[in-house]
């Protein structure tokens, strides 16, 4: 999964399972990719995940968005 935030100078992506457990966290700039693995490097199981994206744009304004993601293996 690739997440692109145009005009972002810093971005954090957090992926949570349906129980609210943090599965993975990514940090970068405008484009980040999640390979479907958890912190330990294991593939996550099929199911629903929630993606939270936060960061700062080029004007120094904070942004925040969230989406639901379904992983099917």
């Amino acid at each position: 999964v690739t997440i692109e935030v145009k005009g972002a100078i810093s971005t954090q992506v957090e992926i949570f399972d349906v129980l609210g457990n943090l599965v993975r966290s990514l940090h970068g700039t405008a484009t980040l990719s999640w390979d479907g693995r958890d912190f330990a490097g294991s593939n996550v199981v099929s199911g629903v995940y929630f993606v939270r994206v936060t960061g700062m744009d080029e004007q120094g304004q904070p942004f925040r968005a969230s989406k639901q993601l379904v992983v099917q293996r």
Side-chain angles (χ1 to χ4, degrees), residues 6 27 29 41 48 64-65:
K6 295 183 184 200
H27 304 274
T29 54
V48 177
R64 181 180 195 152

Side-chain angles (χ1 to χ4, degrees), residues 4-5 7-8 16 23 26-27 30 33 36 38 44 48 50 57 67:
E4 183 176 352
V5 182
F16 299 89
V23 173
L26 307 167
H27 304 274
S33 294
D38 61 17
V44 297
V48 177
F50 299 94
D57 69 15
K67 289 282 188 179

Side-chain angles (χ1 to χ4, degrees), residues 8-56:
I9 58 170
S10 96
T11 304
Q12 177 174 332
V13 174
E14 296 171 302
I15 297 108
F16 299 89
D17 65 16
V18 293
L19 298 176
N21 299 310
L22 181 62
V23 173
R24 184 82 181 267
S25 180
L26 307 167
H27 304 274
T29 54
T31 304
L32 296 168
S33 294
W34 179 46
D35 58 5
R37 297 180 187 272
D38 61 17
F39 283 114
S42 301
N43 286 329
V44 297
V45 298
S46 296
V48 177
Y49 293 84
F50 299 94
V51 180
R52 181 168 59 198
V53 180
T54 56
M56 190 80 59

